[in-house]
Amino acid sequence: MFFRLTAFVVIGLLALRAASAEPVTHTTFENGLEVVVIEDRRAPVVVHMVWYKVGAADEPPLQSGIAHFLEHLMFKGTDTMESGEFSRVVEANGGRDNAFTSWDYTGYFQRVASDRLELMMQMEADRMANLSFTEDDWLPERAVILEERGQVLESRVGGQFNESMMAALYKSHPYGIPIIGWRHEMETLTGQNAMDFYDQHYGPNNAILVIAGDVDTGDALEMAQQIYGPVLPNPAIAPVSRTMEPPHLAERRLRFEDARVGTPYVNRMYLAPVRRAGDQSQAAALQMLAALLGGSSTTSVLERTLNFEQGIALQAWAGYNGMARDYGTFSLGIAPVEGVTLKDAEAALDAAVADFLEEGVDQAQFDRVRHQIRASEIYALDDMQGRARQYGVGLSVGLGVDDIDGWVDALDAVTREDVIAAGQMLLDRRNSVTGYLTQPTATSTSEVTQ
Amino acid sequence: MTRLLALTLGLFLALAAPLRAEVSITPVTSDSGLQAWLVEERSIPFVALELIFAGGATLDSDATAGATSLMTALLSEGAGDMNAQEYAARSEELAARIGFDAGRDTVSVSVRFLTEDADDVIDHVRAALTDPRFDADAVERVRGQMLSKLRRDALDPNTLASRAFAQAAYGGHPYGRGSDGAVETVAALDVDALLAAHQGAFARDRVFIGAAGDIDADELARLIDRLFEGIPQQGAPIPERAEFSAPAGLEVIPFDGPQSVIAFGHDGIARDDPDFLTAYVVNEVFGGGRFGTRLMESLRVQRGLTYGVGSFLASGLLGESYQGRMSTDNVNAAAAIDLLREEWAGIAESGITEEDLSRIQTYLTGAYPLRFDGNAAIASTMASMQYQGFDIDYVNIRNDLIDALTLDQVNAMAARLYDADALHFVVVGQPEGLE
């Protein structure tokens, strides 16, 4: 206990010991604001986050990217704060601030010395209801998000490939639309669109406050009640109906060719169940399946088979994301060594998965993965911001604190048979899209140069 | 939409009293004479350990460029009587997180382990550091991954810009080439080159050790002696200094993409220069990689020319430069470069204001404690501070040093550091309006 004001040394120590044993505090204020407090008194630092349960999947037609555009404009000012003042004040207090948008949520956070928490709360509560900006603010900011799309997506061939994969995976659901938006729609977004989206979705009754770090839970809740409590609920807030997926009757395949591809690879994405409040068992089995197939660059099934035994993969992977409101994804992929075609690589990948499902889970590997999960729980305690994020994402997508706290136990309860069953259930190709990322073929290249 | 009654926000800036971080670092000397800095933190039952070995990719010869990087990547691919899979399985059994990383100036080892497994993990890491196998199949597999990365880099505009800038700045010095070497050199590396790189890199005469977590000084001293059994006293000689020699001007590398990536910069300031901290403060005002800097305000906030622009002091072990990066739509590249030159000239001539200085002092002194918020972050900071030559009490005086800077000192540094006429630009893309 060394990074703190000397006077608090002993108190801090005791508080952390207690906090580790006690559940995270979760409550809901009268105005609908959910509040989570995570005590961690090792350093005099606090993470203050506000999550809105609205994201890119809730955008109106023709306005893709509006949730993210609004996220940028949230830094422009309020009725009483100048444009840019929010970040200037955070900076003047030695803090860091940023924000992020997903399909299901939009989050704003500051990391500051813990004696600045009240100030952060005041400013965040202010822009929860009093956002205000002008054309001089939003017009250059629209150019910024277009540059952002250019930099993080269009200049990266992997990013463009991934965007195409998602668009092909979802036939109806808005997860198929990129969070940053389609360029042709982004170019038409206005400040009024953003303000309308704000008026429709922002307010304490659609938000989660997460405070993690060097605070006393009781004090933090009292402070939050004083500052956020008076913000009136927004009556316009109503659940957005999202288009759901019809049954998928045909697998989809795409081939993305670009001269900038240095390493070709195959990726396959399946629609998968998400973590559900009160029942995470299926999601836990899928998470274990991903860990066994691709969780280690050396010992997992795909690397062992395709890289070490067959020598045809530079790299092979598997991943599961179940932290979403409507649909999760399960991915499998392989980057083959030179001289192996993507088609052959894909066939080998499929064969490796099929063999795994037939032969069952190796007990020693299963034990190692479980041991690592337990240890990762301990390592995760070291990362205050990561913990805050876990709760923010979880609550945003409809999980409860019990579900988030119980995730490691849910993983622990998975049996080897559950893993195989999850794999067999999942791997229906009709729920998938398979993509090849590759250099242009010889014929199309010569056509271009002629 | 129902709105909250207006809050009084005017007082905010007045509240910013700098926070004092009382950091308690214990210097540790082992029986065999190794030094380490420890921050004991008992609340979570694990330890983070960080080793930094000076040298890095600069120890490679031109012919063996990439050897240190490939060697480092192979450390987790088998050691002692364990092949690659057995080594990884053992790491997983121990639930240890072990990372080996090679950079231009250093090779680093990061380890996190549960307190109860300390001895076993240390033995496991020592096997990699003293008895790596470099099995032929592992070498070919990892070489293939590295070549694949090099081919990917060759088609990545950001890497192309950085490579071209380094080449222009340092020519034939090891600083002029990429840490991962080139396709031809990596393809040609043999086991002897890997063994030589290994012997050159890991030595007691160049290591800096930081630790944080559930461990005391005696126990740490014992563990590091255990870890260093068999590690030689001396490593390979570290090369001569690199002189910055990029000419003023502009270099365009045609690349088919929607944006131009622009690398820019000129000569910099040495890390051991007595005024380095002053230069650091000036750069934080000018382009320090966050909102609120002059470059972000001018190019992003006012004009929407870029998603992000920043500048940094690239002061290494052997040489220094002052650089920046940005990406912008091809049509805006010329305008962005004009603005960069303008901002550059402006700060050299007029410096910063009293208000800028006071704001940045408050920010930097307030932000400092935020760096020490977890065992892993602390261990790495402890090792890095020693590597950079700081005294053990620096943590506790650093904020005072920043607060003591005067506007005259800072503006003298701005005039010294910035030279718009010396700027070298590398533009990767299809920029319009440039020659």
Side-chain angles (χ1 to χ4, degrees):
Chain A
M1 211 47 47
F2 293 94
F3 294 97
R4 44 174 314 102
L5 301 167
T6 328
F8 292 112
V9 166
V10 177
I11 300 165
L13 242 172
L14 295 174
L16 185 81
R17 291 257 149 90
S20 307
E22 279 171 25
V24 166
T25 304
H26 176 236
T27 185
T28 305
F29 289 171
E30 266 182 41
N31 61 6
L33 180 71
E34 286 188 69
V35 185
V36 176
V37 184
I38 306 162
E39 268 191 37
D40 174 352
R41 314 210 64 156
R42 290 177 301 154
V45 174
V46 68
V47 176
H48 174 245
M49 291 180 149
V50 168
W51 300 69
Y52 293 97
K53 291 180 260 186
V54 61
D58 304 307
E59 293 168 340
L62 308 180
Q63 292 182 27
S64 63
I66 195 66
H68 171 254
F69 188 29
L70 170 61
E71 175 222 305
H72 280 230
L73 295 175
M74 283 283 282
F75 292 88
K76 289 305 181 189
T78 66
D79 296 344
T80 51
M81 287 190 88
E82 285 172 25
S83 182
E85 191 177 344
F86 192 104
S87 294
R88 277 203 300 277
V89 173
V90 175
E91 182 188 292
N93 283 277
R96 285 273 181 160
D97 70 329
N98 213 334
F100 43 81
T101 307
S102 174
W103 279 286
D104 294 316
Y105 51 80
T106 311
Y108 301 84
F109 73 93
Q110 303 88 40
R111 209 168 139 263
V112 290
S114 41
D115 60 353
R116 317 290 157 90
L117 177 61
E118 185 173 4
L119 180 57
M120 299 303 123
M121 284 193 184
Q122 283 170 343
M123 293 199 300
E124 200 64 86
D126 180 32
R127 69 175 173 178
M128 184 173 276
N130 301 316
L131 184 65
S132 165
F133 52 78
T134 67
E135 185 166 329
D136 286 347
D137 293 321
W138 70 257
L139 213 50
E141 202 61 34
R142 190 176 66 186
V144 168
I145 57 170
L146 286 162
E147 288 293 344
E148 183 177 355
R149 184 179 163 88
Q151 182 175 332
V152 305
L153 229 148
E154 292 163 1
S155 294
R156 293 182 189 169
V157 66
Q160 285 188 304
F161 176 53
N162 200 48
E163 182 177 84
S164 303
M165 293 281 291
M166 290 295 280
L169 182 61
Y170 293 97
K171 295 162 66 151
S172 292
H173 191 278
Y175 286 169
I177 300 169
I179 292 166
I180 196 163
W182 299 116
R183 178 173 280 275
H184 65 280
E185 293 186 355
M186 292 167 71
E187 283 166 346
T188 69
L189 296 176
T190 67
Q192 190 56 52
N193 296 150
M195 193 53 91
D196 290 346
F197 195 79
Y198 175 79
D199 287 342
Q200 193 71 38
H201 298 292
Y202 278 47
N205 45 331
N206 204 25
I208 303 149
L209 168 68
V210 183
I211 300 156
D214 181 29
V215 292
D216 170 83
T217 301
D219 294 348
L221 284 173
E222 201 182 314
M223 191 188 285
Q225 180 65 62
Q226 274 179 14
I227 296 169
Y228 286 98
V231 185
L232 296 175
N234 177 358
I237 287 169
V240 173
S241 319
R242 295 175 174 175
T243 326
M244 289 292 145
E245 288 293 290
H248 287 196
L249 305 177
E251 70 165 306
R252 275 131 292 145
R253 306 186 67 85
L254 63 90
R255 182 181 179 89
F256 195 105
E257 296 187 352
D258 194 301
R260 293 172 292 169
V261 175
T263 304
Y265 60 84
V266 184
N267 198 23
R268 163 124 23 92
M269 294 175 81
Y270 297 86
L271 282 185
V274 292
R275 287 169 60 179
R276 292 274 173 221
D279 179 16
Q280 305 187 93
S281 56
Q282 199 178 25
L286 288 167
Q287 185 71 61
M288 291 296 284
L289 174 66
L292 291 161
L293 286 176
S296 150
S297 63
T298 311
T299 63
S300 57
V301 169
L302 296 181
E303 288 278 0
R304 201 174 64 222
T305 312
L306 301 169
N307 194 339
F308 284 78
E309 287 168 17
Q310 299 177 13
I312 66 165
L314 285 168
Q315 213 189 327
W317 57 89
Y320 168 64
N321 175 19
M323 281 287 240
R325 203 178 300 159
D326 301 320
Y327 300 100
T329 52
F330 194 97
S331 317
L332 294 172
I334 175 169
V337 297
E338 258 190 308
V340 173
T341 65
L342 293 180
K343 189 161 178 281
D344 289 346
E346 184 194 354
L349 175 72
D350 283 331
V353 174
D355 286 351
F356 169 78
L357 293 178
E358 193 165 325
E359 285 163 20
V361 180
D362 176 71
Q363 183 70 49
Q365 194 203 1
F366 194 61
D367 291 343
R368 287 199 306 270
V369 168
R370 287 160 63 108
H371 186 50
Q372 283 188 290
I373 287 167
R374 278 291 168 200
S376 68
E377 194 181 13
I378 290 173
Y379 295 135
L381 289 174
D382 199 35
D383 179 5
M384 192 194 300
Q385 196 156 320
R387 293 183 75 200
R389 221 177 151 114
Q390 279 291 315
Y391 288 92
V393 174
L395 292 171
S396 292
V397 301
L399 297 172
V401 167
D402 287 353
D403 302 308
I404 299 158
D405 288 340
W407 180 235
V408 169
D409 288 336
L411 291 171
D412 217 32
V414 173
T415 65
R416 293 190 294 162
E417 291 71 29
D418 293 338
V419 171
I420 299 300
Q424 280 160 346
M425 174 276 304
L426 174 76
L427 302 180
D428 178 348
R429 286 253 207 113
R430 290 176 301 178
N431 283 321
S432 78
V433 55
T434 306
Y436 285 12
L437 177 67
T438 180
Q439 287 260 353
T441 50
T443 36
S444 59
T445 310
S446 61
E447 279 163 15
V448 170
T449 51
Q450 274 161 14
Chain B
M1 168 112 208
T2 320
R3 301 276 158 132
L4 177 72
L5 288 174
L7 288 161
T8 323
L9 301 168
L11 293 174
F12 285 174
L13 287 165
L15 296 173
L19 185 86
R20 282 261 155 251
E22 292 297 329
V23 181
S24 177
I25 305 170
T26 309
V28 175
T29 304
S30 74
D31 288 347
S32 75
L34 288 161
Q35 312 275 323
W37 288 1
L38 165 67
V39 174
E40 202 173 324
E41 160 59 66
R42 295 288 186 166
S43 62
I44 305 175
F46 84 98
V47 179
L49 180 66
E50 181 87 8
L51 312 175
I52 295 177
F53 293 88
T58 61
L59 299 180
D60 299 340
S61 69
D62 286 345
T64 63
T68 298
S69 191
L70 181 58
M71 175 278 289
T72 309
L74 282 160
L75 290 180
S76 50
E77 298 284 331
D81 57 4
M82 294 165 280
N83 68 22
Q85 299 213 32
E86 288 160 349
Y87 191 87
R90 180 69 178 145
S91 303
E92 290 164 20
E93 271 163 32
L94 292 168
R97 305 265 172 99
I98 304 169
F100 302 107
D101 191 45
R104 188 181 66 170
D105 287 324
T106 61
V107 173
S108 60
V109 181
S110 316
V111 190
R112 277 178 287 170
F113 55 87
L114 303 183
T115 314
E116 62 197 44
D117 295 324
D119 282 12
D120 288 341
V121 173
I122 289 298
D123 291 348
H124 191 58
V125 176
R126 185 185 57 219
L129 293 183
T130 58
D131 196 12
R133 287 166 50 126
F134 304 126
D135 290 336
D137 57 343
V139 172
E140 287 323 306
R141 200 162 23 76
V142 178
R143 189 204 307 273
Q145 290 165 352
M146 206 160 137
L147 290 171
S148 158
K149 179 178 181 297
L150 286 167
R151 283 191 286 267
R152 225 171 26 240
D153 287 348
L155 295 168
D156 172 58
N158 291 295
T159 313
L160 288 173
S162 290
R163 289 274 167 86
F165 193 91
Q167 173 65 39
Y170 299 111
H173 188 275
Y175 269 19
R177 60 180 196 228
S179 298
D180 290 338
V183 168
E184 313 80 67
T185 61
V186 171
L189 291 171
D190 57 18
V191 171
D192 287 345
L194 296 172
L195 285 169
H198 183 264
Q199 276 170 359
F202 297 106
R204 297 166 65 103
D205 67 348
R206 61 195 57 205
V207 70
F208 302 90
I209 307 172
D214 187 17
I215 190 168
D216 66 21
D218 291 344
E219 179 68 359
L220 178 64
R222 190 182 68 74
L223 282 184
I224 58 181
D225 271 345
R226 187 175 180 126
L227 178 59
F228 274 79
E229 270 172 38
I231 291 185
Q233 187 60 39
Q234 263 191 325
I238 290 174
E240 299 294 304
R241 272 183 55 81
E243 294 303 327
F244 186 93
S245 55
L250 189 82
E251 178 186 357
V252 176
I253 299 176
F255 185 83
D256 189 10
Q259 288 192 317
S260 291
V261 174
I262 306 172
F264 49 95
H266 56 45
D267 204 357
I269 179 165
R271 211 172 53 198
D272 57 3
D273 188 295
D275 292 322
F276 182 83
L277 188 68
T278 316
Y280 174 78
V281 169
V282 175
N283 178 58
E284 286 292 318
V285 175
F286 184 72
R290 59 196 160 78
F291 288 103
T293 63
R294 285 206 184 175
L295 290 182
M296 282 292 265
E297 188 63 25
S298 168
L299 286 122
R300 171 174 161 150
V301 179
Q302 304 290 338
R303 297 179 181 84
L305 286 175
T306 183
Y307 176 50
V309 54
S311 59
F312 52 96
L313 294 161
S315 301
L317 194 61
L318 305 177
E320 50 279 338
S321 60
Y322 184 57
Q323 294 186 39
R325 295 287 183 278
M326 74 171 293
S327 327
T328 188
D329 197 285
N330 283 319
V331 297
N332 293 328
I337 286 174
D338 285 347
L339 270 171
L340 285 168
R341 285 192 204 276
E342 220 172 273
E343 293 295 340
W344 220 270
I347 193 164
E349 195 179 294
S350 316
I352 68 172
T353 65
E354 191 71 62
E355 196 209 332
D356 288 333
L357 177 61
S358 145
R359 263 181 51 205
I360 205 68
Q361 284 169 325
T362 315
Y363 167 70
L364 291 173
T365 54
Y368 197 51
L370 272 56
R371 290 192 199 177
F372 303 95
D373 75 333
N375 294 346
I378 293 168
S380 135
T381 305
M382 292 301 103
S384 146
M385 284 179 57
Q386 293 169 82
Y387 165 67
Q388 297 190 47
F390 290 116
D391 291 335
I392 199 162
D393 68 341
Y394 181 78
V395 172
N396 295 318
I397 61 164
R398 180 263 196 189
N399 277 359
D400 296 335
L401 295 175
I402 288 179
D403 280 335
L405 290 174
T406 66
L407 190 62
D408 284 349
Q409 287 172 314
V410 169
N411 285 341
M413 175 50 74
R416 172 182 160 194
L417 183 63
Y418 293 82
D419 182 358
D421 296 333
L423 280 171
H424 181 83
F425 290 89
V426 176
V427 184
V428 180
Q430 306 284 343
E432 293 179 20
L434 296 175
E435 79 263 37

